[in-house]
Structure formats: C-alpha cells, structure tokens
Amino acid sequence: MAFPNCTVVDHPLVKHKLTLMRRADTSTASFRALLQEISLLLGYEAMRDLKLRDEEIQTPMAKTRAPLLDGKKLVLVPILRAGQGIVDGMLQLVPSARMGHIGLYRDPETLDAVEYYYKVPANLADRDVIVCDPMLATGNSAVAALQRVKRSRPGSLRFVCLLACPEGLTNLREHHPDVHVFTAAIDERLDEHGYILPGLGDAGDRLFGTK
Ligand code: URA
C-alpha cells in the first residue's frame, strides 16, 4: 500500500540499525544508542526542506555570501516519554533547536490518548515544528499531539517516528492530511493490543529499561 503522506527513509544504514533494534536480545544501552543514531538519519531527511538564509562571511581567501540554517526556528516536540529517545539524535544535528514537550498516555482499555502535560516555546507562528514518537501504532497519540500543537499555530508541522504501520498512517492522514510523516519502516499491522507487528515491542520500556 502506498502512503502519500509518508517518506520511508530506507537507507541501508537505517535498515541495518533498525534490525538490530528489533532483536529481542538487544540491550537497553544498545537500543538507546541505536535510536539516537537512527534519529539523526531520520532527522536529516525530515529537515531537508528547512529554509536557509544567506549571510556574508569571510573565508581565509575572500568575502562571500553563504547559506546558514536559522536553527532557532526549529522546534522539536517529543511525545513523552519515548519521543525523548528521538530528539536526542536530532539535537545532534541542530543543537540550537528549541524544545517543547507533550505528555500523553494510552488508555489501556480504549487505546485513546489522554493528555497530562503540554509546554512549547511561545510564539510558534514562524517556527518549523517536528513532533516525535518512535511508534506510530494506532495513531491516536500522534493525532492528539498534532491537534494540540496545531492550537499553538505553528509555521509548519511534520512528524518523525521510527516505525509506522498502515493503521496509524491511515488514521493520521484522515485527521492531518497536511502533516508529512518520516519513518524508518512501515510494518505489517497492529495486534489486538495496539502493538506493531513484527515491530520491536514497547519502545519506551526498551529505551528506559522499565520491563
Ligand atoms: N507503542 C510501542 O511502544 N510499541 C508498539 O508496538 C506500539 C505502541
């Protein structure tokens, strides 16, 4: 199935690292390091169209005008708690990016997203916002997070995840057709508990060693 709202970053380095992350016997330390490395590569693609401004600089040879990112314009918003694992890699690319946080948990019965925390930089109007969460499963958390961020009126909005599935991408597209998704892979499907198959298990537990 094709998903026009989604870019799969299928670089061999990303594929290799993702396979290592999927393995059930990968340690917490390795999982954490790999998520940071992959996030950097996902971020590289997700930031491909960031705007540049020319500035006059002096090289050892001559004066010239050269492009620079306006790093302060970028805002990373992880969905707590697992989204934090993605921003660590992205901050290596753009250390001056601002940060917001959105706290959502999944109601275990209904799988609906429930918000418990929201704080973003003031005045998002001229900023590019990237919302991050490793797993786009049912899509309910992503849909709720994007809805919440949209109320802060960002200049632009995109979504970065490690793994997506058809159900999550369809849900996201229905609610936010304007938001592009960047992911390392689109897996087969969801199981009856809302976990991605074949997936990699609970990303938060694997990242923080809580199980
Ligand atoms: N959240 C996870 O951490 N893993 C899944 O497979 C689905 C949602």
Side-chain angles (χ1 to χ4, degrees):
M1 203 188 307
F3 294 95
N5 58 330
C6 180
T7 296
V8 178
V9 182
D10 60 353
H11 191 285
L13 281 171
V14 172
K15 288 185 175 181
H16 175 81
K17 290 175 194 295
L18 179 58
T19 300
L20 298 180
M21 292 185 79
R22 288 184 192 276
R23 283 184 174 157
D25 61 356
T26 294
S27 69
T28 300
S30 300
F31 189 91
R32 198 175 283 154
L34 286 160
L35 182 56
Q36 189 164 339
E37 291 164 17
I38 288 196
S39 302
L40 190 150
L41 299 166
L42 294 174
Y44 178 79
E45 279 304 321
M47 296 177 201
R48 186 174 278 287
D49 64 346
L50 287 187
K51 286 184 193 64
L52 298 164
R53 61 184 160 79
D54 278 352
E55 207 168 272
E56 189 162 286
I57 59 162
Q58 174 78 56
T59 77
M61 309 301 292
K63 273 193 176 152
T64 185
R65 288 187 72 77
L68 281 173
L69 271 182
D70 192 352
K72 281 201 242 43
K73 281 202 155 185
L74 189 70
V75 179
L76 305 176
V77 181
I79 301 179
L80 299 176
R81 59 182 171 146
Q84 190 60 41
I86 290 200
V87 294
D88 289 345
M90 298 231 243
L91 280 173
Q92 284 187 276
L93 289 175
V94 191
S96 59
R98 303 295 175 94
M99 293 276 305
H101 293 90
I102 181 158
L104 297 171
Y105 67 86
R106 272 210 303 187
D107 183 301
E109 300 291 318
T110 63
L111 303 184
D112 284 343
V114 184
E115 182 185 318
Y116 64 88
Y117 185 78
Y118 183 73
K119 180 101 182 167
V120 297
N123 208 349
L124 287 193
D126 59 350
R127 296 186 188 274
D128 298 307
V129 175
I130 304 181
V131 175
C132 314
D133 197 11
M135 310 298 274
L136 181 62
T138 60
N140 292 343
S141 298
V143 166
L146 292 167
Q147 246 152 21
R148 185 66 185 85
V149 174
K150 276 183 178 177
R151 278 164 51 198
S152 301
R153 305 197 165 278
S156 75
L157 194 51
R158 58 202 89 178
F159 186 82
V160 170
C161 59
L162 176 65
L163 269 186
C165 63
E167 295 89 333
L169 283 167
T170 302
N171 190 8
L172 203 91
R173 190 169 176 220
E174 271 168 25
H175 289 89
H176 300 288
D178 53 322
V179 176
H180 201 80
V181 178
F182 296 85
T183 187
I186 303 175
D187 271 12
E188 228 173 284
R189 64 178 176 89
L190 287 182
D191 75 2
E192 62 279 18
H193 305 291
Y195 278 82
I196 295 177
L197 292 174
L200 47 73
D202 189 300
D205 281 340
R206 298 201 61 187
L207 180 63
F208 297 111
T210 40
K211 216 169 232 170

